[in-house]
Amino acid sequence: MSPQIAPLSLFFASIFTSNILLANFLGMCSFISISKDYTSSNGLGLAVTVVLTITGVVNWAVLHYILYPLGLYYLRFIVFIIVIAAVVQILEMVIDRLSPALYMTLGIFLPLITVNCAILGAVLFIEIRNYTLGQSAIFSLGSGLGWWLAIASLAAIRKKVDKAPVPAGLKGPGITLITIGFMAMAFIGFSGMLQVQ
Amino acid sequence: MTAKDLNKISRENLWFNNPIFIQILGICSTLAVTNLLTNTLIMTLGVTFVAAFSNLTIAFMKDWIPRKVRMIVQVLIISFYVIIVDILLRAFLPEISKNLGPYVGLIITNCILMGRAEAFAQSNPPFPAFWDGLTSGIGYMWVLMTIAFVRELLGFGTLFGFPVTPSWFPQWTIMVMAPSAFFLVAILLWIAKNRMTGGKA
């Protein structure tokens, strides 16, 4: 594909125009249920950003130094999932040891993250688009921040929407999806400035 | 398990407990490809295949899986079937496989699969579990096919790639882009909820 992308534009594109959630629909499951509460949304957003950045880089290394040389490319889905699960587990233990306070806020979200589509999705994008190590790190950090920004803003908007008179059938997930649709339009509005495929 | 029970499972999965309407589960991996009917059909067929067979396998193996590691075993069984789907697509439909890009691999993290494995296959015999996976997949398929039908018709003026709208008909750019998928899911959800509750929810 195109390994020649300026790091800064890759970073901003992965946050805004190619937002992993609003443009690629990844990580929706926990997005809708968690965004009811602003504090949890922030916690989950932070956790996703941290895990995504680490797994993006680790999986890049696994892909280039283990899977390609050994010809095990067809096993990549299983290997990626195992690496993600392992990173999440290790991170959980490290945080528990180093900072019990942080563990209290992040701890409950970490197990959820293993099956968060955004994490595996970003890793698969890195593989398909042939990013270099540096680009993978920037892309996964940007995608994590983009996901965090999206869930934190949705949680804030939902607080207001809760008070609005909404038709009965649209209450709950329905109006949330419409809100997400408008957010997606706003984010995609930046795509005239940057575009990364 | 009688025919009546199987019938009940199908009705639940296709309408009353449809994974998308009630639980808003599993739209992550497929919503992105709903701007074309062909891609959606292949993706949802893949999900249905994986759901049915992973449920079957998990139901067969449930007594040998230690409770503590069951999640990771379920994920591994699911990834096994997803790899089969990926290899088949690469071999027989290379063009579509290329269009779907990362989304085939993302079937692994589709919440419906883990959800059905936990909620049904863990505690039921193999055949009903297979049936449950199959009908969940079909329930998922018809909703996404409806969305893809609207998006492709209005966005490109085609159905399965064949032009159907007259040339004066404007193509709606918004339908090709991501936001329309969110709006359409919300509208379908609204209609379904009203039908289910008779409009007095």
Side-chain angles (χ1 to χ4, degrees):
Chain A
M1 283 275 209
S2 51
Q4 298 298 331
I5 313 167
L8 205 61
S9 50
L10 181 62
F11 181 66
F12 283 108
S14 55
I15 297 181
F16 294 107
T17 53
S18 309
N19 186 296
I20 192 115
L21 192 127
L22 297 168
N24 294 313
F25 306 100
L26 298 176
M28 290 288 297
C29 304
S30 41
F31 188 70
I32 293 181
S33 50
I34 301 287
S35 63
K36 267 183 227 125
D37 176 54
Y38 187 73
T39 326
S40 324
S41 301
N42 250 336
L44 186 66
L46 175 61
V48 166
T49 310
V50 172
V51 174
L52 189 51
T53 314
I54 297 173
T55 51
V57 174
V58 172
N59 272 325
W60 183 90
V62 168
L63 184 70
H64 285 263
Y65 294 113
I66 299 177
L67 295 184
Y68 282 145
L70 295 182
L72 294 177
Y73 176 69
Y74 63 94
L75 280 182
R76 66 195 187 287
F77 295 156
I78 287 193
V79 173
F80 287 162
I81 272 287
I82 295 176
V83 169
I84 293 170
V87 167
V88 169
Q89 199 84 76
I90 294 170
L91 202 67
E92 202 175 342
M93 290 190 279
V94 169
I95 293 178
D96 191 17
R97 224 0 120 67
L98 293 183
S99 154
L102 188 62
Y103 185 75
M104 289 298 281
T105 48
L106 279 191
I108 43 168
F109 300 115
L110 284 172
L112 274 178
I113 282 180
T114 311
V115 289
N116 189 313
C117 333
I119 312 276
L120 184 64
V123 172
L124 291 173
F125 275 126
I126 287 173
E127 177 231 314
I128 283 188
R129 294 176 186 168
N130 260 328
Y131 284 149
T132 62
L133 179 59
Q135 287 172 332
S136 311
I138 293 168
F139 176 75
S140 36
L141 175 66
S143 301
L145 289 176
W147 201 88
W148 188 0
L149 178 66
I151 194 170
S153 8
L154 180 67
I157 296 174
R158 278 185 79 170
K159 265 195 176 153
K160 299 275 178 200
V161 172
D162 277 348
K163 296 194 188 91
V166 174
L170 263 184
K171 277 223 166 73
I175 193 72
T176 309
L177 279 165
I178 291 184
T179 317
I180 300 173
F182 282 119
M183 280 174 64
M185 283 168 76
F187 273 67
I188 285 172
F190 290 104
S191 57
M193 292 159 68
L194 321 149
Q195 189 62 271
V196 167
Q197 251 319 310
Chain B
M1 193 68 56
T2 60
K4 213 173 154 195
D5 290 329
L6 291 183
N7 214 342
K8 187 166 166 267
I9 294 177
S10 342
R11 253 186 309 138
E12 288 273 305
N13 284 336
L14 290 179
W15 179 248
F16 291 104
N17 215 351
N18 187 297
I20 296 188
F21 293 151
I22 303 302
Q23 311 152 32
I24 327 276
L25 281 186
I27 48 179
C28 4
S29 59
T30 309
L31 211 52
V33 296
T34 49
N35 52 12
L36 288 172
L37 272 167
T38 321
N39 291 352
T40 315
L41 181 67
I42 300 292
M43 260 309 269
T44 48
L45 278 178
V47 172
T48 312
F49 168 84
V50 177
F53 282 94
S54 62
N55 254 8
L56 180 73
T57 317
I58 290 164
F60 266 121
M61 289 174 63
K62 62 176 183 291
D63 297 332
W64 297 303
I65 305 175
R67 257 200 100 62
K68 273 197 152 164
V69 294
R70 67 177 197 289
M71 297 283 234
I72 193 80
V73 175
Q74 286 165 1
V75 172
L76 290 183
I77 292 173
I78 292 168
S79 349
F80 167 74
Y81 285 109
V82 173
I83 289 179
I84 293 183
V85 171
D86 182 50
I87 291 175
L88 287 177
L89 283 182
R90 269 164 200 271
F92 295 108
L93 298 165
E95 196 53 40
I96 290 183
S97 163
K98 215 169 155 199
N99 286 342
L100 293 179
Y103 294 101
V104 179
L106 283 167
I107 297 178
I108 298 173
T109 47
N110 188 314
C111 323
I112 292 179
L113 301 175
M114 283 294 275
R116 294 327 292 173
E118 268 296 282
F120 202 93
Q122 271 298 327
S123 49
N124 280 289
F127 180 67
F130 177 80
W131 186 252
D132 178 77
L134 189 71
T135 47
S136 297
I138 296 172
Y140 178 69
M141 184 190 288
W142 79 258
V143 177
L144 287 176
M145 286 300 279
T146 315
I147 294 172
F149 178 83
V150 178
R151 285 186 74 184
E152 190 178 337
L153 184 66
L154 297 180
F156 293 104
T158 57
L159 288 177
F160 288 105
F162 297 107
V164 284
T165 50
S167 53
W168 47 263
F169 188 83
Q171 301 185 348
W172 302 17
T173 319
I174 181 87
M175 283 293 165
V176 182
M177 298 196 307
S180 68
F182 292 113
F183 295 135
L184 285 172
V185 175
I187 291 168
L188 273 179
L189 193 86
W190 191 2
I191 297 171
K193 269 203 172 159
N194 272 345
R195 293 287 303 261
M196 275 181 219
T197 54
K200 43 183 187 291

